[in-house]
Amino acid sequence: MDVIAILGESYDSLVEASVDKSPDEVVVTKDDEVFYIVSENDYEQTLASLGYKIIVNTGE
């Protein structure tokens, strides 16, 4: 499992990540300082078990 490939580009700003995400993606974080845009599927299958949490849901 390559978590870095799943996470992709990091954002220091939640606002920027929220603006850049598409409606079918979520914004996740592990430390409330760095944010990532990922598919909901990647979150559920990999990232949730690694301690990441959704900050912005799909459709938001």
Side-chain angles (χ1 to χ4, degrees):
M1 154 183 39
D2 188 1
V3 175
I4 294 171
I6 293 171
L7 293 174
E9 180 182 355
S10 65
Y11 292 82
D12 293 329
S13 165
L14 175 58
V15 173
E16 287 179 19
S18 298
V19 169
D20 284 355
K21 83 173 203 60
S22 66
D24 62 335
E25 294 175 314
V26 297
V27 177
V28 300
T29 187
K30 194 170 188 174
D31 60 10
D32 294 321
E33 292 180 17
V34 180
F35 306 93
Y36 302 93
I37 300 170
V38 298
S39 72
E40 191 170 14
N41 188 47
D42 282 341
Y43 171 76
E44 290 173 357
Q45 291 189 358
T46 305
L47 300 174
S49 66
L50 297 175
Y52 287 86
K53 59 186 173 186
I54 293 177
I55 301 297
V56 181
N57 278 301
T58 56
E60 290 183 28

